Amino acid sequence: MINVGLNHFLIVSGILFSLGLYAVVTRKNAVMVLMGIELILNAANINFIAFSKFGNLGLTGQVTALFVIVLAAAEAAIALAIVLNIYKTFNNVNVDEIDHLKD
Amino acid sequence: MNESLLINISIALLFLPLLGFATVIFLGKKVPKIYLFEVFIVGIALIATMALMFVKLAYYQSHDIIMAFNWFSIGIAGMKDSFTVELGIKLDNLAVIMLFVVYLISFLVHLYSIEYMRGDKRYNRYFAYLGIFTFSMLGIVLTHNILMMYIFWELVGLSSYLLIGFWFEKKSASDAGKKAFLVNRVGDIGMFIGIMILFTHYKTFTFDTIFAQMALGNIPFNSTWVLTATGILIFMGAVGKSAQFPLHVWLPDAMEGPTPVSALIHAATMVAAGVYLLTKIFVMLTADAMLTIAVIGGITSFVAATIAITQNDIKKVLAYSTVSQLGYMVLSIGVGAYAFAFFHLVTHAFFKACLFLGSGSVIHSMHHEQDIREMGGLRKKMPITYYTFLVATLAISGIPLTSGFLSKDSLLAGTLAFGKLTGHWLLPAIGFLVAALTAFYMFRLVILTFHGKPKNQHKFDHAHESPFVMAAPLVVLATLSIFFFYTPNPLSAGDGWFISDWVKTPHTVVPASAAFDFMVDHSAAHSAKAINNDAHSATNSSEAVTNKSHSSEANSSAHGEITHSELYTETMHWAHYPAMFASLIVAGLGILLAFVFYQWRKVDADKLAESIKPIYKFSLNKWYIDEIYNATVIAGTLVLARFLSLFDGKVVDGAVNGAGHTTKFISRLGGWFDTFVVDGFVNFTAFVSGFIGLSFRRLQTGKVQTYLVLVIFSVIIILLVIRPF
Amino acid sequence: MMGFPILSLITFLPIIGMLVILFLPKNQDRLVKYTSLIVTAIQLVLAVVLLANFGYSSAGVSDQSTFQFVEKFRWIQIDGVSWLGTVKIDYFLGIDGISMPMILLTAFVSLIATISSWNINKSVKGFFMMFLLLDTGMMGVFVALDFFLFYVFWELMLLPMYFLIGIWGGPRKEYAAIKFFIYTLFGSIFILLVMIGLYFSAQETLANGTKVFTFNLLALMNQSNYLDSGILSAANPHNLRLIAYIALFVGFAIKIPMFPFHTWLPDAHVEAPTPISVILAGVLLKMGTYGIIRISYPIFPDITRDLMWYIGLFGMINIIYGALVAMAQKDFKKLIAYSSISHMGYVLLGMASLTTIGINGAILQMFNHGTITAMLFLIVGVLYDRAHTRGLDDFGGIGVQMPVYTGFVTVAFFAAIGLPSLSGFVSEALVFLGAFSVSSIRIIAIISTLGILLGAGYMLWTLQRVYLGQLNEKWNTLSDLDAREYVMFIPLTIVIIFLGIYPSAMLDIMNTSVNTLVNFIANNANSISLLSGL
């Protein structure tokens, strides 16, 4: 059995982060963007847990991971509410067309 | 009558017409008949004048009466450059005779005008103007100093202006008035410069004082040249007023005025003022000045006579004949025939006034027709006018038994004597030629107007003899054209009281070197010295001046009739008979020709005119002198005026506005600099930051994803750059 | 002599009137006009009182003791400015035979102008306040004997004039007002510079023996008061007297106005309302020549004598140039304006002669021109009020329609032509006699006589074009003069005829002073030449 070490965790986390980032950057649908963000958050969680096991963080990493999960839930709730509001306003959840920040 | 009474009467006579003027002009609107007051005043004055003249000529014949008072003073008495200007009256024989002439003709013209001007809308004002004219003319006559003469000189100019332009609704009338005033002004400028020379040197304007100084050898600026110039300059005043060539152009135009005015002002009195002025300054004329005057007089008489031949307007013919006769008088002064010049002035005043009033009578009855080609045959209809006109015509032509013969003949004798003494034979030649021309054109006028058949039947039918107030003056004036008022001998004026008692040629005061030799009375040298002594002791006060002139008169009268040299007297005697015969012959010739042409029609005048058309045209158009003046002097002045006005607007004012604009331009430049350079720098900074902002603004797409990409790449770049690993 | 301060009263009375008007209620136009009329009438009465008490044999000119009605006290005193010493300026008024005619003229013309202002309807209150202020300025110039005070009055009169032209004027009033203001101010700067130069060149000895710099004109006339090092002292070999004289002369010449500084005048006249034209031509122009006689001549007698030929030359140019340009005008008022330029040339010519007769003639001409031109402008005003045009060719035959008016016109025109028995003749004759008697400007005098002819030319032409000929049917509704206009014309006519017949009335007033002035110039010019020769 191969010894699963820190590097493996980091690689998984990296792939996950990259996929999440890719989703955030390329998806047009706001919901998909949110999903990407969830992926990124989870990639971060994996890192926390990995460093908690292999690094000298102790339990702090796991606690932080839990905290992030809660945070992600809250974030998802608020973000979806925003997306709903956007949909109400613009009749659309396509992020390309919602560029009012520019003005 | 004593002297002061005479002076007081003459002062009253001077101011009476002014009173008439003031009364009529101020009451004219309210009292329609006020003009009678003016006529009345002049009538009363005429009676007083006759008394005055009688007393003066009978009791004070060789004794002049002078009264003067200070008009104003300049400077503090006794200090440098201080002097006093006097006004004064001098009653000498010439003055009282002129006074009578003026008042008589003035009164007759007043009387005549009552009928002639009836119905005019400015009837009263006309009489007021006659009043102010009479006043100004008398001022000239009575003055004892040249400044006062100039003052009244200008005033007659004013009254002449007002009367010529009396019917000012007519453009030609107002033009003529203006022309008369301006042409006279040209002469007056010369006269004024002459006065300035005299004043600058003598510090006085009084004739007698100046002449007394000259007799002492004290001549202006110690130069006979200046003395000559002074004489000629003062003569310029006479050239203007007496319508001498080249300033004669105003007089024919002045006929635009009412005909009685032409008779009074432009024939008898005012135009003679120039000759009167020459008699006043006669003693200070040098040989050169006299020759100039004679030449001008000769040219004038000739030019005017040649023009008079072809004129068709009855008043124009008379006007040119006036100019011609005035030329005679001036010529006569120039040749030294002083007394005859004045004599001719007086006789001419009467017969020419008669002619003008006669022409007025014709014009009046012909409904203001003035063209002699439209007249004819009036002899039967207007006998009084015809016969008086004929007498006056005979007088002006110089036919014996008339006054004109006496004066003209002796005047021509004077020119002949002058020719013999100085060799200037052309002057007498012109004199006789003009005498022939005069007789010719005057009889042409008489024949065309009164003889023959009427040319315009309609107007002829309306013609009628003039009423009494118009006819009476004609009779009076025609009577005065008869010889016996002047001399008992119808052939020689010299025997008469006029020449031998009343009018005596004064001694010249010009230095002997500058005067004609015949003017210098060599035999009277010692008495001249006596005069000088008197004059010397008597230049301080006006009263002393009076004394002096008394004694100078006493001296000259003590000396008898010899006023020039013996030589001159002899030559005059020599000239007397040749001149008489010659003038008779030329006058007869002229009259004969007139009858040949116009009465008997042996020669067709029109055909003759056609055959010498250029000459005829030249004469008809008055030698084109008006045209020449219009084209040169007047047009030149107007062009210069317009040019200067343009210059003023464009250049002088342009410079001012230019300075203004330049200042404005500079300030605008400053403003521009301030806006674009100083403030521009500030704005430029802002602009640059704005530009940078703008260009970076493109990065702000508003898309979160783009931002995110940028963040990521930035982080990557930063990581690559700082290489924390 | 320090009795009742009548000169101050006559000068500041209009200011009192102005304050009264200021406190009058609004819309009381008649009251304003009557106040102004009463004030100017009192001023004329005071001027006559002055004349009645005037000593004819008192010379004035440079000697304080022979000045009359003198008022003198310290006005400004600043002690202890270390490098300047004491600055002192006197309130110094006094008159002599040179200023007396001008005071009479100012009072008389002001009264006439007030009467002619009766038909001003636009902000009446402001108009009359400005008018009275102007009156004070003019009167002040003629009574001041301190250069500083003179300058204050000189400038004081500018401001109301600017508004009077600029507000109550014709179509181009702004242009004319600004031109007038800037032009005159331009001249004033020169006067100011010379004034300061003189201040630092001469010192007056006070009663307590100390010497102070001074603006006192009489002290400045005394050459012994000048410091050796002063820039305008004759004793200083590098002095700037010639330049200062020219600068001062230019300052005054603009006001006269002398060619080539005259172009503000036609514009100002054409745009100004009639009463202001009357004041402008009647009084203001005289301030220039008065300034030269009062200030330039006695302070710089040497330069005056050196430059008299040029003054005469400019006089001649003014006479002939003004007359010729007048001849070409189409606007009646402009014609009269240019005739003013021509007539002021006679004043210059007379002044240039430096003889008693010439300067007498010049001052008499100043007075006569004041009355005659005032009348001429009133004549234009009367016609303009009725016809609302001033084009010379628009009229014709007015003499038929308005005979009485035309009678006055004839008097005024012939007075302007210089007809004897009217006032213009005497002064012109004296000017010519004066100029002719001086050999250096004799030729100039002879050429200038052309002006008499040209003057007659344009005046008679105007008379013919406007008043003679057939009546233009357009104008057959014009009415003849009304009572108010009679009141304007009759006094002027009387004065014009009176002075023509009896010029002594005016000549005797100025005779002593002018004679003294002429001698003063001659003597001082000699002594200065000696001084600078050393």
Side-chain angles (χ1 to χ4, degrees):
Chain A
M1 181 171 177
I2 36 173
N3 195 13
V4 177
L6 182 61
N7 284 344
H8 299 95
F9 282 98
L10 291 183
I11 288 166
V12 171
S13 152
I15 292 169
L16 208 57
F17 179 82
S18 302
L19 287 170
L21 191 61
Y22 178 75
V24 168
V25 173
T26 57
R27 290 293 116 179
K28 288 197 173 5
N29 193 313
V31 181
M32 300 303 279
V33 173
L34 283 178
M35 285 179 161
I37 292 171
E38 290 299 322
L39 285 182
I40 292 170
L41 287 172
N42 283 325
N45 274 353
I46 289 171
N47 271 11
F48 278 123
I49 291 164
F51 281 111
S52 129
K53 182 160 169 59
F54 299 104
N56 51 3
L57 276 172
L59 286 176
T60 314
Q62 302 197 8
V63 172
T64 310
L66 278 173
F67 190 74
V68 169
I69 290 167
V70 175
L71 195 101
E75 179 247 47
I78 291 168
L80 281 171
I82 290 172
V83 169
L84 272 174
N85 268 322
I86 287 173
Y87 182 75
K88 268 187 198 159
T89 316
F90 298 101
N91 242 346
N92 196 345
V93 286
N94 188 345
V95 288
D96 274 0
E97 292 169 23
I98 303 163
D99 55 359
H100 278 223
L101 264 181
K102 178 168 86 175
D103 302 324
Chain B
M1 282 201 221
N2 62 22
E3 290 183 19
S4 65
L5 183 61
L6 285 181
I7 284 289
N8 288 338
I9 290 176
S10 63
I11 292 173
L13 288 175
L14 174 61
F15 284 104
L16 273 177
L18 188 66
L19 175 70
F21 163 75
T23 315
V24 176
I25 205 99
F26 286 119
L27 298 180
K29 278 263 167 63
K30 301 187 184 84
V31 191
K33 292 250 175 211
I34 193 72
Y35 69 90
L36 287 173
F37 179 71
E38 163 74 18
V39 180
F40 173 73
I41 269 190
V42 176
I44 294 288
L46 175 63
I47 294 167
T49 307
M50 289 199 267
L52 179 75
M53 182 173 74
F54 174 75
V55 172
K56 172 72 175 79
L57 293 179
Y59 300 110
Y60 297 93
Q61 201 183 90
S62 51
H63 179 93
D64 295 343
I65 305 163
I66 293 181
M67 199 248 2
F69 65 93
N70 290 351
W71 188 27
F72 60 84
S73 305
I74 294 287
I76 305 163
M79 280 180 81
K80 183 174 151 276
D81 283 340
S82 66
F83 65 92
T84 297
V85 174
E86 286 184 338
L87 294 185
I89 284 182
K90 178 179 182 182
L91 279 182
D92 55 13
N93 293 351
L94 266 60
V96 290
I97 293 169
M98 277 298 281
L99 195 64
F100 171 71
V101 170
V102 171
Y103 257 124
L104 177 67
I105 298 179
S106 179
F107 176 70
L108 294 176
V109 164
H110 274 80
L111 214 57
Y112 185 92
S113 301
I114 292 176
E115 195 54 44
Y116 189 87
M117 297 298 286
R118 191 175 293 287
D120 195 278
K121 60 179 168 182
R122 288 188 286 272
Y123 195 59
N124 276 327
R125 209 196 290 182
Y126 171 81
F127 284 93
Y129 288 170
L130 284 185
I132 197 167
F133 166 75
T134 311
F135 164 69
S136 345
M137 187 63 212
L138 293 175
I140 292 182
V141 170
L142 291 173
T143 178
H144 90 313
N145 73 69
I146 193 162
L147 181 72
M148 188 171 153
M149 185 156 230
Y150 182 81
I151 289 171
F152 285 98
W153 199 258
E154 292 282 311
L155 283 179
V156 290
L158 168 74
S159 33
S160 162
Y161 171 82
L162 292 174
L163 282 165
I164 294 171
F166 184 71
W167 289 315
F168 61 75
E169 287 92 340
K170 273 199 293 180
K171 175 127 185 356
S172 56
S174 62
D175 272 340
K178 186 179 64 178
K179 184 173 175 184
F181 196 89
L182 291 181
V183 171
N184 269 301
R185 268 269 155 126
V186 175
D188 293 350
I189 285 178
M191 179 171 170
F192 190 68
I193 294 173
I195 293 174
M196 289 199 289
I197 294 175
L198 290 180
F199 175 78
T200 302
H201 193 73
Y202 298 107
K203 296 288 175 223
T204 179
F205 295 107
T206 311
F207 285 118
D208 292 326
T209 320
I210 292 171
F211 298 150
Q213 289 287 314
M214 278 185 192
L216 287 172
N218 177 6
I219 59 172
F221 303 100
N222 275 323
S223 143
T224 50
W225 181 85
V226 175
L227 186 61
T228 304
T230 310
I232 293 174
L233 284 167
I234 295 178
F235 167 63
M236 269 181 74
V239 170
K241 200 63 81 195
S242 287
Q244 297 298 294
F245 181 84
L247 299 182
H248 64 279
V249 288
W250 67 270
L251 187 56
D253 287 25
M255 296 301 132
E256 288 292 340
T259 308
V261 168
S262 308
L264 174 63
I265 301 185
H266 305 117
T269 55
M270 184 187 86
V271 289
V275 181
Y276 187 73
L277 170 69
L278 288 180
T279 64
K280 285 268 178 197
I281 63 161
F282 180 73
V283 292
M284 58 163 279
L285 295 174
T286 60
D288 294 338
M290 282 176 72
L291 189 61
T292 312
I293 290 170
V295 168
I296 294 282
I299 293 176
T300 307
S301 61
F302 177 71
V303 169
T306 56
I307 296 172
I309 289 178
T310 57
Q311 298 305 306
N312 291 319
D313 181 324
I314 183 167
K315 287 183 76 180
K316 283 272 160 76
V317 177
L318 291 177
Y320 278 105
S321 111
T322 307
V323 175
S324 177
Q325 298 297 311
L326 289 167
Y328 258 170
M329 296 173 210
V330 170
L331 169 68
S332 173
I333 292 277
V335 299
Y338 168 94
F340 303 129
F342 184 71
F343 187 30
H344 194 60
L345 192 168
V346 173
T347 58
H348 173 260
F350 292 135
F351 62 66
K352 188 50 72 60
C354 182
L355 287 171
F356 264 108
L357 292 182
S359 77
S361 176
V362 171
I363 293 166
H364 191 63
S365 74
M366 296 284 285
H367 293 275
H368 294 274
E369 177 58 65
Q370 300 196 2
D371 193 330
I372 48 176
R373 288 168 302 187
E374 297 288 306
M375 298 175 183
L378 288 170
R379 177 167 50 155
K380 290 275 160 45
K381 283 222 159 187
M382 312 179 71
I384 303 176
T385 308
Y386 171 66
Y387 286 108
T388 52
F389 201 89
L390 187 65
V391 170
T393 306
L394 289 171
I396 197 174
S397 309
I399 302 301
L401 303 183
T402 63
S403 62
F405 168 75
L406 294 171
S407 56
K408 202 173 192 176
D409 162 51
S410 21
L411 188 151
L412 288 170
T415 59
L416 201 61
F418 184 77
K420 181 159 192 289
L421 287 165
T422 60
H424 293 289
W425 287 105
L426 197 60
L427 290 174
I430 287 177
F432 288 108
L433 178 60
V434 170
L437 291 173
T438 307
F440 175 75
Y441 65 70
M442 283 313 296
F443 271 87
R444 168 177 178 262
L445 186 63
V446 170
I447 293 165
L448 286 179
T449 309
F450 294 101
H451 297 190
K453 290 201 180 63
K455 315 282 192 308
N456 186 330
Q457 195 61 43
H458 174 69
K459 285 194 170 156
F460 179 78
D461 291 341
H462 281 90
H464 53 85
E465 180 59 279
S466 299
F468 174 75
V469 288
M470 283 172 74
L474 295 176
V475 176
V476 173
L477 290 169
T479 316
L480 282 169
S481 306
I482 310 293
F483 73 96
F484 52 71
F485 290 97
Y486 311 94
T487 168
N489 177 355
L491 292 183
S492 167
D495 301 341
W497 41 83
F498 195 95
I499 294 297
S500 59
D501 293 343
W502 296 348
V503 182
K504 295 196 195 84
T505 311
H507 290 275
T508 181
V509 294
V510 177
S513 60
F516 277 124
D517 201 34
F518 64 80
M519 294 284 291
V520 182
D521 184 8
H522 298 289
S523 65
H526 72 276
S527 80
K529 197 162 272 175
I531 298 169
N532 295 349
N533 291 339
D534 281 334
H536 192 62
S537 63
T539 44
N540 297 328
S541 71
S542 58
E543 239 157 279
V545 172
T546 320
N547 294 335
K548 176 216 52 103
S549 66
H550 293 172
S551 49
S552 80
E553 276 299 326
N555 266 308
S556 60
S557 60
H559 236 272
E561 272 69 63
I562 302 166
T563 46
H564 298 329
S565 63
E566 293 285 344
L567 178 64
Y568 186 74
T569 318
E570 275 167 25
T571 320
M572 273 304 276
H573 277 295
W574 165 82
H576 185 66
Y577 286 102
M580 191 161 84
F581 289 123
S583 70
L584 267 178
I585 289 166
V586 292
L589 207 64
I591 294 171
L592 189 71
L593 271 175
F595 271 87
V596 166
F597 274 108
Y598 299 104
Q599 180 78 12
W600 305 319
R601 303 224 171 247
K602 298 283 181 212
V603 184
D604 190 337
D606 294 335
K607 263 191 191 144
L608 184 67
E610 196 59 37
S611 64
I612 51 164
K613 200 166 183 187
I615 299 175
Y616 177 74
K617 282 266 171 203
F618 191 62
S619 160
L620 187 68
N621 289 307
K622 302 140 193 172
W623 289 38
Y624 296 99
I625 292 171
D626 275 325
E627 283 77 4
I628 292 168
Y629 285 166
N630 281 335
T632 54
V633 182
I634 296 169
T637 310
L638 287 180
V639 166
L640 185 64
R642 293 217 180 92
F643 168 74
L644 281 182
S645 173
L646 219 63
F647 174 79
D648 197 65
K650 302 287 175 208
V651 180
V652 184
D653 200 28
V656 175
N657 283 337
H661 287 310
T662 313
T663 318
K664 266 158 89 179
F665 177 72
I666 292 171
S667 67
R668 230 175 261 148
L669 213 64
W672 185 85
F673 182 81
D674 198 58
T675 316
F676 293 103
V677 179
V678 181
D679 200 27
F681 184 74
V682 177
N683 285 342
F684 184 70
T685 321
F687 173 75
V688 168
S689 16
F691 179 76
I692 294 169
L694 264 183
S695 39
F696 277 83
R697 195 178 164 195
R698 285 162 177 270
L699 294 174
Q700 307 290 325
T701 57
K703 291 173 191 163
V704 185
Q705 289 167 326
T706 323
Y707 299 156
L708 200 57
V709 173
L710 280 173
V711 169
I712 291 160
F713 276 100
S714 309
V715 169
I716 291 167
I717 290 166
I718 290 166
L719 286 179
L720 284 175
V721 170
I722 61 174
R723 292 172 189 276
F725 312 109
Chain C
M1 280 286 189
M2 287 292 285
F4 181 67
I6 187 166
L7 289 183
S8 293
L9 185 62
I10 201 173
T11 308
F12 291 106
L13 187 69
I15 294 248
I16 298 170
M18 178 180 150
L19 294 176
V20 170
I21 289 176
L22 181 66
F23 291 113
L24 285 177
K26 265 194 170 171
N27 302 324
Q28 288 287 342
D29 289 358
R30 288 183 71 79
L31 204 56
V32 168
K33 286 171 181 171
Y34 277 111
T35 312
S36 183
L37 181 68
I38 290 167
V39 165
T40 44
I42 296 175
Q43 203 184 21
L44 182 58
V45 170
L46 285 175
V48 173
V49 169
L50 274 180
L51 181 63
N53 292 300
F54 186 78
Y56 281 57
S57 56
S58 226
V61 181
S62 66
D63 175 11
Q64 193 188 323
S65 63
T66 54
F67 268 96
Q68 308 186 39
F69 310 104
V70 172
E71 293 168 34
K72 184 177 186 180
F73 54 84
R74 194 60 37 84
W75 179 26
I76 296 171
Q77 177 150 15
I78 307 167
D79 287 314
V81 182
S82 58
W83 55 277
L84 268 175
T86 300
V87 174
K88 81 155 193 76
I89 298 167
D90 282 339
Y91 176 82
F92 185 15
L93 307 180
I95 58 172
D96 62 2
I98 296 170
S99 32
M100 188 69 225
M102 295 299 109
I103 288 166
L104 288 171
L105 178 71
T106 309
F108 181 55
V109 173
S110 295
L111 179 61
I112 299 286
T114 311
I115 299 170
S116 90
S117 313
W118 224 249
N119 52 7
I120 294 278
N121 292 320
K122 181 175 165 188
S123 49
V124 175
K125 212 169 151 178
F127 180 88
F128 282 95
M129 281 169 65
M130 285 297 163
F131 182 86
L132 290 175
L133 185 62
L134 177 67
D135 195 355
T136 291
M138 298 185 302
M139 201 53 103
V141 164
F142 293 128
V143 295
L145 288 179
D146 187 277
F147 207 159
F148 194 88
L149 192 60
F150 176 93
Y151 188 78
V152 168
F153 283 121
W154 182 272
E155 295 293 300
L156 177 65
M157 144 242 102
L158 261 185
L159 183 83
M161 203 66 196
Y162 173 75
F163 287 113
L164 286 168
I165 298 174
I167 296 176
W168 288 272
R172 290 173 75 222
K173 58 194 177 190
E174 289 89 357
Y175 170 75
I178 288 176
K179 195 168 177 180
F180 166 79
F181 190 82
I182 291 182
Y183 221 136
T184 320
L185 203 63
F186 175 73
S188 304
I189 290 165
F190 288 112
I191 300 176
L192 183 66
L193 283 175
V194 176
M195 181 173 100
I196 292 168
L198 284 169
Y199 179 75
F200 287 114
S201 297
Q203 285 194 325
E204 182 185 14
T205 313
L206 294 182
N208 59 16
T210 52
K211 288 185 165 232
V212 288
F213 288 120
T214 182
F215 284 116
N216 184 336
L217 283 174
L218 307 187
L220 292 172
M221 290 174 200
N222 187 345
Q223 298 299 327
S224 63
N225 281 339
Y226 282 79
L227 303 171
D228 283 351
S229 56
I231 50 162
L232 298 181
S233 311
N236 183 348
H238 305 294
N239 69 57
L240 301 174
R241 284 173 76 84
L242 178 64
I243 293 169
Y245 185 86
I246 293 171
L248 191 59
F249 194 85
V250 168
F252 290 132
I254 287 172
K255 201 60 152 219
I256 293 173
M258 185 185 85
F259 177 89
F261 306 116
H262 63 275
T263 53
W264 63 268
L265 184 77
D267 286 315
H269 269 313
V270 168
E271 302 309 326
T274 304
I276 302 311
S277 285
V278 168
I279 289 283
L280 184 60
V283 183
L284 250 65
L285 306 189
K286 280 76 205 173
M287 290 167 47
T289 41
Y290 174 81
I292 294 172
I293 293 178
R294 168 67 70 213
I295 295 174
S296 300
Y297 271 25
I299 291 182
F300 301 97
D302 47 335
I303 319 280
T304 299
R305 197 181 53 177
D306 293 346
L307 295 186
M308 65 186 276
W309 190 84
Y310 296 95
I311 300 174
L313 181 72
F314 275 106
M316 181 191 90
I317 294 176
N318 255 36
I319 293 171
I320 292 179
Y321 182 87
L324 279 170
V325 177
M327 202 174 276
Q329 297 308 312
K330 297 249 183 291
D331 181 313
F332 201 164
K333 215 170 178 185
K334 221 166 183 175
L335 182 132
I336 304 295
Y338 276 105
S339 86
S340 265
I341 294 170
S342 180
H343 284 130
M344 290 308 283
Y346 293 112
V347 180
L348 276 173
L349 183 63
M351 279 163 42
S353 74
L354 294 184
T355 57
T356 310
I357 176 170
I359 294 183
N360 259 323
I363 297 176
L364 188 61
Q365 171 77 358
M366 279 154 73
F367 187 92
N368 290 340
H369 175 256
T371 50
I372 294 169
T373 310
M375 192 154 167
L376 290 174
F377 277 113
L378 290 176
I379 281 166
V380 180
V382 163
L383 202 57
Y384 186 72
D385 284 348
R386 285 166 172 69
H388 304 289
T389 173
R390 285 188 308 253
L392 287 170
D393 298 325
D394 298 343
F395 292 100
I398 299 294
V400 182
Q401 185 66 26
M402 303 167 71
V404 179
Y405 165 65
T406 308
F408 285 114
V409 170
T410 313
V411 172
F413 272 35
F414 276 95
I417 289 171
L419 188 83
S421 82
L422 300 176
S423 59
F425 168 73
V426 182
S427 45
E428 280 176 26
L430 291 181
V431 161
F432 279 123
L433 290 171
F436 191 85
S437 65
V438 181
S439 55
S440 61
I441 58 171
R442 187 164 292 149
I443 296 296
I444 289 175
I446 291 175
I447 299 173
S448 300
T449 52
L450 269 181
I452 321 180
L453 177 65
L454 295 171
Y458 64 75
M459 276 301 182
L460 291 185
W461 196 23
T462 308
L463 196 63
Q464 183 188 25
R465 280 187 288 180
V466 178
Y467 299 97
L468 307 183
Q470 280 293 347
L471 178 66
N472 188 336
E473 283 307 315
K474 227 181 351 174
W475 308 123
N476 60 9
T477 54
L478 301 188
S479 56
D480 212 331
L481 299 184
D482 60 28
R484 178 181 66 86
E485 287 158 343
Y486 271 110
V487 173
M488 305 188 306
F489 282 128
I490 289 175
L492 282 168
T493 311
I494 290 174
V495 168
I496 287 171
I497 295 177
F498 175 71
L499 284 182
I501 294 168
Y502 188 65
S504 291
M506 201 52 76
L507 286 170
D508 287 349
I509 296 174
M510 57 182 96
N511 233 335
T512 315
S513 296
V514 170
N515 205 328
T516 312
L517 174 71
V518 169
N519 290 328
F520 180 86
I521 293 169
N523 297 337
N524 278 274
N526 287 334
S527 61
I528 292 172
S529 314
L530 282 177
L531 195 67
S532 36
L534 289 174

